[in-house]
Amino acid sequence: MYSFWDVNVAMLEGSVTTLQMFVLTLLFALPLGLIISFGSMSRFSPLRWLTKTFVWIIRGSPLMLQILIVFYGPGLLFGWKALPRFTAALVTFVINYACYFSEIYRGGIEAVPRGQTEAGQVLGMTKTQIFFRVTLLQVIKRILPPMGNEIITLVKDTSLANVIANKDIIMMAKEYSAKGLIWPLFSTALFFLVFVGALTLLFNWAEKKLDYFRC
């Protein structure tokens, strides 16, 4: 019989893995999504259509399937050694969420009135100065609600990593429930509820802080 302490230690280790997946995905996907959005808005047609096609493929296929392809694909297609399970899941999450973020960025950037960009040009500002001093704050205000929704979804989507036996909190809960323990499932639910609740409060606070900048 498993002791309460041993189960809690295993669950804690799984929760750390889940948190690492979440934080690292955001760390890489947020800037990558901005880069992809620039590709989607590029005036160079081949780059624009290539980027939009890639985003369409990623957004149009299940995340779980993408995880399986990244983990098993290199070995089945080229005979390469498979990536570590955590790395394979992380790469998949970064690519997937970068594509979703890119569409949010693109919508926010394109929603900023063009007249403000032109006003910046009249004042002699460079494109970089216009973007960071004029456009960016308005973009942040516009994209915060949809970005918050995607980030909260990411919290729950991290559970999909256990499809390749990534030892996250869901994997630990499944293992112990298969051995006759039910409470790890409820503690896992509590973990996600607290996590999502904290993020919801954080984004509500951020929206109020930006409320002075009406769009």
Side-chain angles (χ1 to χ4, degrees):
M1 189 67 180
Y2 297 94
S3 70
F4 183 78
W5 173 258
D6 290 338
V7 175
N8 272 294
V9 169
M11 295 294 291
L12 180 60
E13 291 175 352
S15 66
V16 170
T17 300
T18 297
L19 288 171
Q20 288 176 333
M21 184 71 67
F22 172 79
V23 171
L24 290 174
T25 297
L26 285 185
L27 182 64
F28 294 110
L30 286 171
L32 179 58
L34 185 59
I35 294 171
I36 294 174
S37 71
F38 290 147
S40 297
M41 296 183 292
S42 174
R43 294 181 180 180
F44 183 56
S45 296
L47 175 60
R48 184 175 68 252
W49 287 110
L50 180 63
T51 304
K52 286 187 174 183
T53 300
F54 177 74
V55 170
W56 171 70
I57 292 171
I58 295 299
R59 295 179 70 204
S61 56
L63 177 55
M64 184 179 292
L65 177 61
Q66 294 168 19
I67 295 172
L68 293 172
I69 290 173
V70 171
F71 183 66
Y72 292 109
L76 295 175
L77 294 173
F78 309 109
W80 297 346
K81 184 179 179 180
L83 290 172
R85 298 176 192 278
F86 182 87
T87 303
L90 178 61
V91 168
T92 309
F93 278 116
V94 169
I95 294 173
N96 182 278
Y97 273 85
C99 288
Y100 279 95
F101 290 158
S102 73
E103 288 298 284
I104 296 174
Y105 283 131
R106 184 180 62 81
I109 293 171
E110 292 180 344
V112 176
R114 186 167 182 80
Q116 298 189 25
T117 300
E118 295 171 348
Q121 292 172 340
V122 170
L123 293 173
M125 299 172 68
T126 65
K127 289 184 178 180
T128 302
Q129 290 174 325
I130 292 171
F131 179 76
F132 285 102
R133 297 184 183 180
V134 178
T135 305
L136 187 58
L137 285 177
Q138 298 183 64
V139 169
I140 292 173
K141 168 65 178 177
R142 284 181 166 87
I143 70 174
L144 192 58
M147 191 68 78
N149 288 335
E150 285 299 324
I151 291 174
I152 288 173
T153 300
L154 170 61
V155 174
K156 294 175 285 186
D157 277 353
T158 56
S159 62
L160 296 176
N162 78 88
V163 72
I164 54 173
N166 185 60
K167 289 191 174 295
D168 60 359
I169 191 170
I170 293 289
M171 188 71 180
M172 294 296 98
K174 285 173 59 179
E175 287 185 1
Y176 285 110
S177 64
K179 295 171 183 176
L181 295 177
I182 187 63
W183 66 263
L185 295 177
F186 292 104
S187 63
T188 300
L190 181 61
F191 168 82
F192 281 103
L193 286 172
V194 171
F195 199 170
V196 169
L199 287 175
T200 301
L201 292 174
L202 176 63
F203 284 115
N204 287 341
W205 172 83
E207 286 185 43
K208 289 179 180 178
K209 293 292 286 186
L210 291 173
D211 195 49
Y212 70 92
F213 199 18
R214 300 190 180 278
C215 301

